[in-house]
Amino acid sequence: MPTRVTVWNENVHEREEPEVAERYPKGIHGTIAEHLEAPDREVRTATLQEPEHGLDAETLDATDVLIWWSHCANDEVTDAVAERVVERVHEGMGFVPLHSGKNSKPFTRLMGTTCNIKYRHGGERERVWVADPGHPIADGLDEQFVIPATETYGEPYDIPEPDRTVFISWFEGGDVFRSGVCYRRGRGRIFAFRPGHEEYPIFHQDEVKRVIDNAVEWAAPTEGASARWGKTDPLEPVDE
């Protein structure tokens, strides 16, 4: 069966800022989706402006991995849709929040923390180090790669201790940041990836595209074992 990927984007900057629309004429969601197209995948897009933000129950039930880009409109996502995403992650859907998706309602609810950071604008250079070279999300990368100009994030990063830290970034101004972290919640796998500020062509960069492609493969659901919840009868005779 093909891996079913939904690329979600709030799609605000592209609609309101001509320079962002020029940089991403198909939208950030369209750019990412185009990079992910492959014979063994079904890739669709969804945006904030659609009914139920394009994430109705039928769409999420047919999604193996949800990629999420957001920035200025995190609070505009309804609680009902956010809870629907969280529930699907617990059921096994992969979740890949990008850049400011760390402050999205689904991610903060899955983490149980504020996910706050330090940040500044200014187009500093970022060097992304592979901290876990044996991790599948790092497949095909060198030990580090450079993003020429970006928004800076800095520690402390108010998240729970990650299961794995795949990438750590250093910025020209001296800050460091855990820029690629992994979690399990229920049956679902989560990979939060820092790069992707809309002011720069980051999603056209080969290394960034490779990371997202690898993340889709890693986060896709695995079959696992069956599970039952609630009251059950004993499997063996029990003396009363």
Side-chain angles (χ1 to χ4, degrees):
M1 294 291 292
T3 301
R4 302 166 299 175
V5 183
T6 299
V7 183
W8 190 89
N9 174 24
E10 67 182 32
N11 196 33
V12 172
H13 293 287
E14 300 93 324
R15 293 159 58 95
E16 298 180 355
E17 302 174 31
E19 63 275 14
V20 178
E22 183 177 357
R23 191 172 298 115
Y24 295 108
K26 297 181 180 180
I28 289 173
H29 53 295
T31 298
I32 295 171
E34 185 175 64
H35 295 326
L36 290 175
E37 290 177 357
D40 58 348
R41 289 182 185 151
E42 294 177 0
V43 184
R44 72 183 78 185
T45 63
T47 63
L48 178 71
Q49 295 78 25
E50 298 174 45
E52 299 186 72
H53 312 319
L55 298 176
D56 55 87
E58 183 178 358
T59 297
L60 284 177
D61 286 346
T63 298
D64 295 316
V65 180
L66 176 62
I67 297 173
W68 184 289
W69 191 96
S70 59
H71 183 202
C72 64
N74 282 315
D75 291 341
E76 295 182 27
V77 174
T78 67
D79 291 342
V81 168
E83 286 301 324
R84 191 178 297 154
V85 171
V86 169
E87 181 178 350
R88 280 289 294 125
V89 173
H90 287 157
E91 293 171 351
M93 181 184 72
F95 184 49
V96 183
L98 303 173
H99 194 53
S100 290
K102 67 177 182 55
N103 288 124
S104 66
K105 287 183 178 180
F107 187 62
T108 56
R109 293 178 186 200
L110 286 162
M111 296 297 102
T113 58
T114 68
C115 303
N116 285 339
I117 60 165
K118 292 187 297 201
Y119 70 94
R120 64 176 171 273
H121 300 281
E124 295 177 25
R125 184 173 74 257
E126 175 183 5
R127 190 178 299 277
V128 183
W129 287 95
V130 178
D132 191 350
H135 199 282
I137 294 177
D139 282 355
L141 298 173
D142 291 331
E143 66 175 5
Q144 54 83 27
F145 62 90
V146 172
I147 296 174
T150 189
E151 179 185 23
T152 295
Y153 280 10
E155 297 283 350
Y157 184 10
D158 186 23
I159 51 174
E161 185 66 24
D163 297 336
R164 303 282 286 270
T165 298
V166 184
F167 302 108
I168 296 174
S169 290
W170 169 90
F171 296 87
E172 192 174 354
D175 292 88
V176 295
F177 192 75
R178 290 169 287 171
S179 53
V181 293
C182 299
Y183 296 93
R184 290 293 297 265
R185 292 293 184 268
R187 286 178 176 257
R189 295 181 177 185
I190 302 166
F191 174 66
F193 190 45
R194 192 218 70 82
H197 190 61
E198 73 281 351
E199 295 179 6
Y200 308 97
I202 293 168
F203 291 119
H204 295 294
Q205 185 166 336
D206 287 342
E207 295 93 344
V208 172
K209 291 188 289 185
R210 183 61 180 261
V211 169
I212 297 172
D213 188 80
N214 289 343
V216 167
E217 294 300 311
W218 174 81
T222 54
E223 185 172 345
S226 60
R228 291 182 296 168
W229 311 104
K231 185 178 180 181
T232 60
D233 293 324
L235 297 176
E236 309 292 343
V238 176
D239 292 333
E240 296 184 3

